[in-house]
Amino acid sequence: MALLEIRDLRAGYGAAEVLHGVELTVETGGTTALLGANGAGKTTTLRALCGMIRRRGEIVFDGLDITGLSTERIARLGVAHVPQGRGSLANLSVRDNMMVGALLRRDRSAVRGDLDRCLAMFPALAKRVKAAAGTMSGGEQQMLAICRALMSRPKLLVLDEPSLGLAPVITRRVFDALLGFRAEWGVSMLVVEQNANLALGMADRASVLEFGRVVVAGPAAEIAGRDDVRRAYLGT
Ligand code: ATP
């Protein structure tokens, strides 16, 4: 069953329409990779899904039409967004940044358990729980942003270019942790990634955007094996 079903999504900025009818599916427990060149509309799709910009069409999440809902309502329903640039609160400690993600939760002992699990998954953060987030490296801030999102115990984790600016070894660490959380917590994912191989390697479905439209969609393994798609859209 689909956890997220996007149909004929139109969205943009001011008078300019950037998405011209995007279709996208994330299966329950699955991962969908959203690929495409710079400027294709990947970030805009995530912003529209999370309610950050005006949009039309149909976004059905967990059986509910969320197209017209506020960002806060959408977050409360279980969609957690890890934006590009990560958005940590620089003056708050690593631990407090993580706890921001759990602000809506009442189950304090479960929250503590989840915090411990996040820190175990990212030892680099565990070593510096009291440090101000602004003093952390780019890779650590990416880990922190993922943990903050996970601390809300989302049904869907929405990731915008998690590998951006990271060294390969750090990128691997981040993706391994994502795989770990997916296995342990059953969190579904929608991931935008420039690194198509990385994204296709962890996804079960993929959609390729070009100029605000999905031009290719299907099983990730199938798309990974198509040289024509790789050459035309993925730069690999
Ligand atoms: P990238 O990998 O470069 O982030 P993308 O596929 O995520 O690319 P978007 O960021 O969604 O692409 O951008 C799609 C189009 O929308 C681009 O033409 C871009 O110039 C435009 N755009 C993005 N953000 C804004 C904004 N805040 N205001 C106006 N136009 C924008």
Side-chain angles (χ1 to χ4, degrees), residues 43 85 95 178 196 207:
T43 294
R95 185 178 189 283
L178 287 174
S207 293

Side-chain angles (χ1 to χ4, degrees), residues 187-199:
V187 57
S188 309
M189 298 185 192
L190 174 60
V191 56
V192 163
E193 232 331 305
Q194 280 297 327
N195 186 332
N197 289 329
L198 203 56

Side-chain angles (χ1 to χ4, degrees), residues 6-11 22 55-59 65 67-68:
I6 295 179
R7 291 185 211 106
D8 195 27
L9 176 64
R10 294 166 186 275
V22 168
R55 64 258 178 222
R56 290 184 290 132
E58 201 179 8
I59 306 175
D65 187 338
T67 318

Side-chain angles (χ1 to χ4, degrees), residues 13 18 37-44 47 84 161 194:
Y13 306 94
V18 170
N38 285 334
K42 304 180 299 294
T43 294
T44 303
R47 286 190 186 134
Q84 231 177 72
E161 304 236 15
Q194 280 297 327

